[in-house]
Amino acid sequence: MNLNLKVWRQKDAKSDGRLVDIEARNIPEDCSFLEMLDIVNEDLLGKGEEPIAFDHDCREGICGTCSLTIDGVPHGPSETTTCQLYMRKFKDGDTIYVEPFRARPFPILRDLVVDRSAFDRIQQAGGFITARTGSAVDGNTLPIGKPIADAAMEAAACIGCGACVAACPNASAMLFVGAKVSHLALLPQGQAERTSRALKMVRTMDEEGFGNCSNYLECEAVCPAEIPASVISRLNREYAKASVKDTVS
Amino acid sequence: MNPILRFCSSSIGRKWIVALTGLVLFGFVIGHLIGNLQIFLGSPEPINRYGAFLQGLGELLWAIRFFLLAMLVLHIVFTVKLRAESRAARPVNYAVTNRRATSPAARWMLLSGIMVFCFIVFHLLHFTAQVPAVNGLGQNFETLHDAQGRHDVYRMMVLGFSNPAASAFYVVAVALLALHLNHGIMSMFQTLGLNSGKVRPLWEKGGPAVAWLIFLGYASIPVAILTGIVK
Ligand code: FES
């Protein structure tokens, strides 16, 4: 199949970018969106032009490195990640807009590559538990009810790709932070730092310059890990509780 | 930093303030509706007595008014702040946007809010301050008294809504209010941390249902007056 791509090209973080028309020729239906870009890049290299820079790593939908906003939807029309989006979702002759994840806290480094280290800093602010290292404890020494385990697991599925921020009309990171805070707030291991975690992660999120959720629910609609928006509700609750605890204790 | 100040300057703290003030205003919308629906009780007596009761509260009435006004101001101020931050969070817009989940009510939240605010100003001038120039009838509502010498709220409403332009404006305004609540109710429970997989359908379906009831309740008054059901 042949496609007309409109790709965001930007030389570096300081330059202005713009959408550039690029043709994708002879694309097999069974290749992934990233493989399609690989083919396009081979073409570009053959012509002596700069290849399109884009993020990728595992290419099997688990690492959260791939990004791209395709026709206005982060990760495009796939249920999962861009690396798991196959070209059979498109038709021959389609025009496809390929833009980076857009948010001030995700500065564009080059073309479609954005710096998502803001997420790392939020995570480092409190998205962990302090535990003794050494040999692993026996399984089942700490009983956890099935509903709690399921809810924690659901939140833990977040791969930190940033599609929630990219999809949110407010560029809010609350689905991401909600997932991280929920995951650990639900489990017994997360209790020791529960209060400080909520406070610190939210503060870092705010300092990084993310927007504020107004419950459009776009995040949940694009999340490749199917994190539900109820984690944001839990985050709101956790943060308020933590603020009260911190005030009175 | 002082924990209270920190809360009020955080994204989530501000959202809480918008939700809590929204909750108070929502409560007022319900109470106000129930009060006004007394016009359907067949005689001017109940609503005039209710009006006199409210007036009889004296200073307390003013305290309630100031409290509600403060809630409204906080609701607006914090929303504006939140919006401004969100705008700054995406300096370069997408060439193509493709919303998958946003409801029309959510999308028009700011506009419906602004319109409702304008309406509140008009409404207060119309029926609370009773400025004659606003009602379009050249009538001074303050001169209306019933047989017991109480302010005749019933006549004021019938007269006020006998002006089709005023009635039409009211219906449009309460439609916008209902649109605002359509997203607002669900949003409020979400922000107050009361949403989960289990109760979510309740807010998402119940919120719009309540918003519709509010619209029908408020709109029924001018419609009933214009059609002569209430006279
Ligand atoms: S490249 Fe790892 S999830 Fe797509």
Side-chain angles (χ1 to χ4, degrees):
Chain A
M1 61 202 292
N2 298 322
L3 304 152
N4 307 309
L5 304 181
K6 291 193 180 289
V7 184
W8 186 263
R9 303 301 307 260
Q10 182 170 331
K11 200 162 147 275
D12 51 41
K14 291 197 183 70
S15 317
D16 284 337
R18 65 193 179 92
L19 284 170
V20 174
D21 288 290
I22 298 175
E23 274 179 60
R25 311 208 140 272
N26 302 322
I27 305 296
E29 283 206 331
D30 290 335
C31 76
S32 74
F33 201 87
L34 298 187
E35 285 162 346
M36 180 274 290
L37 289 178
D38 290 337
I39 297 172
V40 171
N41 278 346
E42 289 289 330
D43 272 6
L44 289 174
L45 281 168
K47 286 190 272 184
E49 289 173 31
E50 277 293 317
I52 304 163
F54 61 92
D55 277 317
H56 61 101
D57 189 12
C58 74
R59 296 206 179 196
E60 49 189 24
I62 52 173
C63 73
T65 306
C66 57
S67 56
L68 309 186
T69 301
I70 302 161
D71 285 338
V73 182
H75 294 302
S78 67
E79 276 75 52
T80 61
T81 50
T82 298
C83 59
Q84 295 298 299
L85 168 64
Y86 289 90
M87 295 314 292
R88 48 182 171 268
K89 287 266 188 187
F90 299 91
K91 290 193 304 293
D92 186 43
D94 273 359
T95 298
I96 308 174
Y97 282 80
V98 191
E99 297 179 75
F101 280 3
R102 293 199 188 279
R104 189 167 58 120
F106 288 170
I108 297 172
L109 298 177
R110 185 185 180 91
D111 296 340
L112 304 167
V113 177
V114 296
D115 176 4
R116 283 168 283 181
S117 56
F119 268 15
D120 300 339
R121 289 187 289 275
I122 295 175
Q123 191 70 344
Q124 283 152 11
F128 52 81
I129 59 160
T130 306
R132 186 181 67 87
T133 54
S135 56
V137 289
D138 277 350
N140 298 330
T141 46
L142 201 57
I144 298 167
K146 173 88 168 122
I148 298 287
D150 284 349
M153 196 59 206
E154 187 179 48
C158 171
I159 51 175
C161 65
C164 44
V165 174
C168 176
N170 300 315
S172 163
M174 289 189 192
L175 193 75
F176 168 75
V177 180
K180 300 302 172 193
V181 166
S182 295
H183 163 209
L184 296 174
L186 283 161
L187 296 173
Q189 292 92 335
Q191 298 313 307
E193 286 134 332
R194 186 169 173 176
T195 301
S196 63
R197 175 181 309 113
L199 294 174
K200 285 180 186 165
M201 289 185 83
V202 169
R203 190 198 305 147
T204 311
M205 170 181 83
D206 290 349
E207 282 167 359
E208 292 291 343
F210 290 100
N212 305 308
C213 171
S214 50
N215 310 313
Y216 292 119
L217 308 181
E218 291 293 337
C219 52
E220 141 188 283
V222 301
C223 176
E226 296 178 333
I227 307 289
S230 53
V231 299
I232 301 179
S233 197
R234 187 183 294 280
L235 171 68
N236 295 333
R237 189 162 75 218
E238 286 293 322
Y239 184 74
K241 265 204 255 176
S243 296
V244 172
K245 264 195 194 162
D246 192 51
T247 310
V248 295
S249 68
Chain B
M1 199 200 283
N2 174 322
I4 296 170
L5 214 67
R6 182 186 61 202
F7 185 75
C8 296
S9 56
S10 72
S11 54
I12 294 182
R14 286 177 175 152
K15 274 162 55 72
W16 267 80
I17 292 167
V18 174
L20 287 173
T21 52
L23 181 65
V24 172
L25 296 168
F26 173 62
F28 170 76
V29 163
I30 302 263
H32 190 53
L33 173 62
I34 295 171
N36 287 348
L37 286 177
Q38 295 181 69
I39 197 166
F40 288 111
L41 292 180
S43 82
E45 174 57 23
I47 198 158
N48 285 358
R49 189 175 44 198
Y50 172 64
F53 160 73
L54 288 182
Q55 290 302 328
L57 292 176
E59 275 92 57
L60 186 60
L61 180 64
W62 278 103
I64 295 170
R65 282 172 172 168
F66 275 120
F67 174 69
L68 287 171
L69 182 68
M71 292 296 109
L72 186 66
V73 169
L74 287 176
H75 192 71
I76 296 170
V77 166
F78 278 89
T79 303
V80 168
K81 185 83 188 117
L82 286 165
R83 277 279 172 157
E85 286 169 355
S86 294
R87 286 197 144 222
R90 178 160 298 132
V92 181
N93 258 319
Y94 287 109
V96 183
T97 44
N98 187 345
R99 300 276 166 87
R100 294 185 143 193
T102 310
S103 68
R107 184 171 305 190
W108 299 114
M109 212 53 188
L110 201 60
L111 196 70
S112 59
I114 293 168
M115 298 297 288
V116 168
F117 177 76
C118 296
F119 167 72
I120 293 172
V121 173
F122 170 78
H123 188 50
L124 289 176
L125 292 173
H126 194 192
F127 285 147
T128 308
Q130 298 166 8
V131 177
V134 169
N135 60 44
L137 304 161
Q139 273 270 0
N140 188 354
F141 292 155
E142 279 178 9
T143 59
L144 300 171
H145 295 287
D146 66 5
Q148 281 102 310
R150 297 175 301 204
H151 179 231
D152 197 344
V153 180
Y154 188 90
R155 290 248 28 95
M156 175 177 78
M157 284 168 77
V158 172
L159 267 173
F161 287 126
S162 66
N163 178 352
S167 278
F169 183 52
Y170 269 84
V171 173
V172 171
V174 292
L176 286 164
L177 172 66
L179 191 71
H180 199 71
L181 290 174
N182 193 308
H183 180 68
I185 296 172
M186 170 267 166
S187 218
M188 182 167 78
F189 286 110
Q190 168 82 357
T191 300
L192 298 180
L194 299 172
N195 198 2
S196 70
K198 269 185 227 149
V199 289
R200 186 166 168 180
L202 186 67
W203 310 142
E204 289 192 343
K205 297 212 174 63
V210 169
W212 267 105
L213 286 178
I214 287 172
F215 168 69
L216 292 175
Y218 275 112
S220 70
I221 299 170
V223 169
I225 288 169
L226 276 184
T227 53
I229 297 170
V230 171
K231 45 182 183 283

